[in-house]
Amino acid sequence: MPTERITFPGHAGTLDARLDMPDGPHLATAVFAHCFTCGKDIPAARRIAARLTTMGIAVLRFDFTGLGHSEGEFANTSFTSNVEDLVQAVAYLEGRGLPPTLMIGHSLGGAAVLKATARLDQIKAVATLGAPFDPEHVTHNFSDALPEIIAQGEAEVNLGGRPFRIGKGFVEDVTDEALQPAIARLNAALLVLHAPRDTIVSIDNASEIFLAAKHPKSFVTLDDADHLVTKSEHAEYAADIIATWAKKYLQLKPPAPPIGAPEGIVRSSEADPKGFLQDITHGTRHHILADEPRAYGGTNQGLSPYGLLSAGLAACTSMTIRMYARRKEWPLDHVHVDVSHNKVHAQDAGTGSGDKIDEWKRRISLTGRLDNAQRQRLLEIADKCPVHRTLERTSKVLTELAPVGEVLEVT
């Protein structure tokens, strides 16, 4: 995804940001708010932004005042100032002709987007990850320092191995803040994502947020993810859920496909540079993951490239058989196709060459009151599958018909 390094005015100085743009058509814009004392470049933010851009959604992620490369003193910030920074982010995007319609917030950033969205009628959808219902919840991270903060006006605390100065104004602001009225006023669809085993912000917070909101609202569990959603598989799952859910409420209208490419473009984008995970999209509506098995250095979160090729052959074969049977009005109740791939010596395949070639073995199962002649004809029709023909120009495809009534268990 093309990423533009930008700055824009916040409530108390210039804010440092990244604007991730789609490679293709721009269909919508989102704003991402990071967790307490985190930043715009945390893995969860980057992965969610990467997934959304494949759908044509631009994402602005920025450092709140006093964090990262943004100006201002963190000790002088508050929950209210975070909300103001979000409002300024929306204003900046509108000024650039990129009006946002989706807000995403992580942890305290989730609470901030709920508060901000209640003031922004142009926002159509808001998603939270591990967000607290009560912003005061964040003070448990530095509870030992609260007496000093109240007495001295501020104190230095250690959060995640880094020193931060927390001001009295921040503590008083989150203590006085109540989100329930803002959530009840939301004029946007709400998606709440939370991990049941979150030890930083308990899942009870998700329940309270969900109950306070009006419909439309949705809740999705992040299973055993940690609070920061640090594992790639958890971040990818959250990103995929948000992307799929948002389509309904943002009413994305993709442009017509280019002339000569009626099915649009298939794009594979690297999702994990440390492994092989790929984020594959076909236009703006279809998305799958590709990967390699763990034995080959992958994380096994998706089909391998050869698995995708095999899937294409299997799907095309099944469709071709169904189309022919439907046209002939034959009693074909169900068809499934099992495909395996292997590298074999060409001479074993009968080509006479000593090189290795690709061999796909295809096993077709037909269910229905078909006579032997009909079954044999459908087996012949399988060889007319367009993907089969494409592969057979340089490969050998072996096809066999499964016995009547045989059911293969796939584990």
Side-chain angles (χ1 to χ4, degrees), residues 171-182:
V171 175
E172 292 177 340
D173 187 50
V174 294
T175 301
D176 294 338
E177 185 62 56
L179 279 184
Q180 196 279 335

Side-chain angles (χ1 to χ4, degrees), residues 210-226:
F210 187 83
L211 291 174
K214 298 176 182 178
H215 289 287
K217 56 184 177 180
S218 305
F219 173 77
V220 175
T221 176
L222 294 180
D223 297 328
D224 58 346
D226 60 17

Side-chain angles (χ1 to χ4, degrees), residues 89-401:
V90 171
Y92 167 78
L93 289 168
E94 289 179 335
R96 284 195 52 172
L98 302 170
T101 51
L102 170 63
M103 299 281 269
I104 306 167
H106 181 202
S107 191
L108 190 63
V113 299
L114 290 171
K115 183 77 172 181
T117 300
R119 296 167 47 183
L120 301 167
D121 290 337
Q122 62 269 54
I123 303 300
K124 303 302 180 185
V126 56
T128 65
L129 296 92
F133 178 70
D134 183 358
E136 186 183 10
H137 184 279
V138 75
T139 62
H140 86 280
N141 291 290
F142 49 87
S143 56
D144 292 344
L146 285 175
E148 182 181 355
I149 294 172
I150 300 301
Q152 303 298 325
E154 65 177 58
E156 184 173 287
V157 301
N158 187 290
L159 299 171
R162 294 182 296 160
F164 293 92
R165 297 202 70 81
I166 304 293
K168 180 180 179 180
F170 178 91
V171 175
E172 292 177 340
D173 187 50
V174 294
T175 301
D176 294 338
E177 185 62 56
L179 279 184
Q180 196 279 335
I183 297 172
R185 291 198 308 272
L186 285 179
N187 188 30
L190 173 65
L191 171 64
V192 179
L193 298 107
H194 213 110
R197 300 180 184 179
D198 191 331
T199 59
I200 305 300
V201 179
S202 72
I203 197 169
D204 293 343
N205 289 268
S207 176
E208 292 184 274
I209 291 172
F210 187 83
L211 291 174
K214 298 176 182 178
H215 289 287
K217 56 184 177 180
S218 305
F219 173 77
V220 175
T221 176
L222 294 180
D223 297 328
D224 58 346
D226 60 17
H227 181 66
L228 294 180
V229 200
T230 51
K231 289 186 177 181
S232 62
E233 57 264 37
H234 294 147
E236 288 294 337
Y237 177 69
D240 197 48
I241 291 295
I242 293 173
T244 303
W245 169 84
K247 287 193 300 184
K248 177 179 180 180
Y249 301 103
L250 301 188
Q251 297 180 341
L252 304 182
K253 295 182 179 179
I259 296 174
E263 295 185 22
I265 301 299
V266 174
R267 172 169 293 147
S268 181
S269 301
E270 188 176 56
D272 184 3
K274 295 181 180 179
F276 297 112
L277 184 64
Q278 301 291 312
D279 199 0
I280 300 177
T281 55
H282 191 187
T284 60
R285 295 182 177 274
H286 306 293
H287 169 250
I288 58 174
L289 296 176
D291 204 347
E292 288 285 0
R294 295 184 185 277
Y296 293 97
T299 53
N300 201 32
Q301 295 185 57
L303 289 169
S304 70
Y306 276 112
L308 291 170
L309 277 173
S310 299
L313 176 60
C316 185
T317 300
S318 180
M319 292 175 184
T320 301
I321 290 173
R322 171 54 66 188
M323 181 174 61
Y324 187 85
R326 182 181 298 140
R327 181 158 56 89
K328 289 290 188 176
E329 298 183 349
W330 286 356
L332 175 63
D333 295 334
H334 183 261
V335 54
H336 74 252
V337 181
D338 299 323
V339 173
S340 60
H341 167 264
N342 199 7
K343 292 279 189 179
V344 300
H345 286 287
Q347 58 190 13
D348 295 335
T351 66
S353 171
D355 297 331
K356 281 193 172 183
I357 67 167
D358 294 282
E359 179 183 85
W360 275 269
K361 186 173 183 180
R362 183 171 53 181
R363 187 178 181 86
I364 301 170
S365 295
L366 306 174
T367 304
R369 292 180 293 111
L370 299 163
D371 59 36
N372 289 336
Q374 290 171 327
R375 292 172 59 81
Q376 188 59 40
R377 180 55 180 161
L378 291 176
L379 179 63
E380 295 170 0
I381 290 299
D383 287 342
K384 299 185 182 298
C385 157
V387 172
H388 176 166
R389 289 181 170 180
T390 298
L391 290 173
E392 203 167 36
R393 289 170 186 161
T394 55
S395 309
K396 186 175 180 66
V397 180
L398 301 180
T399 303
E400 66 177 18
L401 193 63

Side-chain angles (χ1 to χ4, degrees), residues 42-56:
I42 61 171
R46 288 188 285 106
R47 293 182 190 280
I48 289 173
R51 174 69 185 96
L52 290 174
T53 58
T54 65
M55 285 181 54

